[in-house]
């Protein structure tokens, strides 16, 4: 056997043969990094740095990096672009960590592949936002793709936790899963309509960027309408969970969802009545990601099959 073959065998032998604390930790890191890039993207917009780099993939004509003449806005936008490589590194590390499990734990491996594939698309859509001079529809699409990756990363965390901690997955009533589906859809609609509200508001990312010409009050009402449906679903879920003994994991997930809804509502009303200060807008963007995590967690736990390990269902 050649020395290179020996090195390859040695490297492969060190990979986990089951879901370990490291594997689960990388799933958590993936989720945190996906939330982080939403927050950093919000910071780019709120500091009017959306066109801090005027080109893509270059930052400016003839240069991949910002130059001093571009000032702080170029550094902020370029810093956000660099975070993409952090996301890729985490996603690759996760796939390497479960390489030996790719056949026995195929759902985990597929989730990891989809997450990794989604990150370059984030970059491409980010480039399109620059090419279109921050068209609000494209900016919304960029945010929504990030939210989709947050949802997938949440599932990845749940599934690695179920395997690593050997969690018992209790049987749930069919009605519970159906209501959880409606709650998840309502939350996603609220988030989608929220991007239209943002695209109508004053924080365009650059003074010259286009805005939606919608009535701000109308789109705000559109944004809040699904929230009322979400609250109604949560009340039904609370009743069903108490009546049918849904289990502590589901009840805890439901409590976290209630807290996230309350937090988002409070931040939303405060920012609306205080003229959209950038700190509150950024907090609302973070809250959107946390709400997406919470409602996905509830949906996932309501629709899990009563089987352990979960990843092999």
């Amino acid at each position: 056997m050649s020395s290179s073959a020996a090195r390859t065998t040695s490297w492969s032998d060190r990979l986990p043969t089951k879901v370990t604390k490291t594997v689960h930790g990388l799933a958590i890191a993936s989720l945190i990094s996906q939330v982080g890039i939403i927050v950093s993207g919000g910071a780019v917009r709120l500091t009017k740095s959306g066109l801090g780099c005027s080109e893509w993939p270059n930052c400016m004509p003839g240069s991949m990096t910002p130059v001093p003449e571009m000032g702080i806005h170029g550094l902020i936008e370029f810093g956000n672009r660099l975070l993409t490589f952090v996301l890729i590194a985490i996603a690759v590390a996760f796939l390497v960590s479960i390489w030996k499990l790719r056949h026995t734990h195929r759902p985990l491996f597929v989730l990891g592949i989809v997450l990794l594939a989604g990150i370059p698309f984030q970059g491409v859509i980010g480039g399109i936002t620059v090419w279109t001079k921050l068209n609000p529809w494209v900016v919304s699409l960029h945010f929504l793709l990030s939210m989709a990756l947050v949802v997938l990363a949440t599932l990845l965390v749940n599934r690695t936790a179920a395997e690593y901690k050997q969690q018992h997955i209790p049987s749930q009533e069919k009605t519970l899963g159906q209501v959880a589906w409606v709650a998840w859809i309502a939350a996603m609609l609220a988030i989608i309509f929220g991007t239209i509200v943002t695209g109508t508001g004053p924080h365009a990312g650059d003074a010259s960027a286009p805005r939606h010409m919608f009535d701000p009050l109308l789109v705000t009402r559109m944004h809040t309408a699904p929230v009322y449906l979400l609250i109604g679903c949560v009340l039904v879920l609370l009743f069903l969970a108490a009546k049918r003994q849904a289990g502590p994991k589901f009840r805890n997930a439901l409590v976290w969802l209630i807290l996230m809804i309350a937090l988002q509502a409070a931040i939303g009303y405060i920012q609306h009545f205080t003229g959209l200060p950038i700190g509150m807008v950024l907090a609302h963007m973070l809250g959107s990601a946390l709400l997406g995590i919470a409602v996905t967690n509830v949906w996932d736990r309501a629709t899990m099959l009563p089987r352990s390990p979960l990843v092999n269902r």
Side-chain angles (χ1 to χ4, degrees):
M1 181 182 293
S2 67
S3 60
S4 61
R7 286 195 299 271
T8 302
T9 302
S10 176
W11 171 83
S12 177
D13 286 343
R14 289 196 293 269
L15 294 178
T17 56
K18 63 179 181 179
V19 175
T20 63
K21 183 178 181 179
T22 298
V23 173
H24 181 52
L26 285 169
I28 294 173
S30 181
L31 177 58
I32 293 173
S33 63
Q34 291 294 347
V35 173
I37 204 161
I38 286 178
V39 174
S40 69
V44 168
R45 166 182 278 194
L46 295 169
T47 57
K48 301 186 184 301
S49 303
L51 294 177
C53 286
S54 59
E55 299 288 333
W56 190 89
N58 282 345
C59 185
M60 61 173 294
S63 176
M64 286 288 294
T65 59
V67 296
E69 290 78 11
M70 300 170 70
I72 187 65
H73 296 307
L75 291 174
I76 292 173
E77 165 63 6
F78 186 70
N80 183 60
R81 293 185 183 189
L82 288 179
L83 282 179
T84 299
F85 297 100
V86 176
L87 268 65
I88 290 174
I90 294 172
V92 170
F94 177 80
L95 286 173
V96 170
S97 73
I98 63 167
W99 182 252
K100 282 190 171 182
L101 309 176
R102 64 190 185 279
H103 299 303
T104 57
H105 297 67
R106 186 170 178 79
L108 275 184
F109 192 72
V110 170
L111 271 174
I113 288 289
V114 174
L115 272 171
L116 177 59
I119 296 169
F121 279 104
Q122 281 180 307
V124 170
I125 296 176
I128 295 172
T129 65
V130 174
W131 294 340
T132 59
K133 305 303 179 185
L134 306 183
N135 180 287
W137 292 114
V138 183
V139 173
S140 293
L141 182 61
H142 193 218
F143 174 83
L144 292 175
L145 175 58
S146 295
M147 185 60 66
L149 295 181
V150 165
V151 168
L152 292 176
T154 301
L155 298 179
L156 196 66
V157 170
N158 276 6
R159 280 150 176 69
T160 55
E163 178 75 4
Y164 166 59
K165 299 176 181 179
Q166 290 296 300
Q167 295 174 344
H168 171 65
I169 309 302
S171 177
Q172 304 289 10
E173 293 283 345
K174 183 179 180 180
T175 304
L176 200 71
Q178 292 171 335
V179 178
W181 260 113
V182 178
W184 187 86
I185 292 171
M188 293 302 115
L189 286 174
I191 291 170
I192 291 169
F193 289 146
T195 66
I196 299 176
V197 175
T198 303
T200 307
H203 300 298
D206 187 82
S208 63
R211 313 304 294 140
H212 294 315
M213 301 305 293
F214 302 129
D215 178 0
L217 182 59
L218 175 62
V219 293
T220 300
R221 288 174 175 170
M222 287 173 56
H223 170 49
T224 56
V227 177
Y228 295 120
L229 175 59
L230 173 60
I231 293 171
C233 289
V234 168
L235 293 175
V236 174
L237 288 171
L238 280 171
F239 172 76
L240 292 174
K243 182 179 179 182
R244 301 177 182 179
Q245 298 181 339
K249 290 290 184 182
F250 180 79
R251 291 197 299 270
N252 290 342
L254 202 51
V255 168
W256 277 109
L257 176 57
I258 293 169
L259 291 175
M260 289 303 103
I261 293 172
L263 177 65
Q264 269 297 78
I267 295 172
Y269 277 110
I270 291 172
Q271 70 167 4
H272 180 73
F273 290 110
T274 56
L276 302 175
I278 62 173
M280 296 306 298
V281 175
L282 189 61
H284 202 51
M285 292 185 69
L286 172 60
S288 295
L290 297 179
L291 176 63
I293 293 170
V295 75
T296 300
N297 189 35
V298 166
W299 166 82
D300 196 31
R301 295 192 180 282
T303 56
M304 284 178 179
L305 293 181
R307 179 178 175 183
S308 184
L310 173 65
V311 292
N312 289 323
R313 65 183 182 179

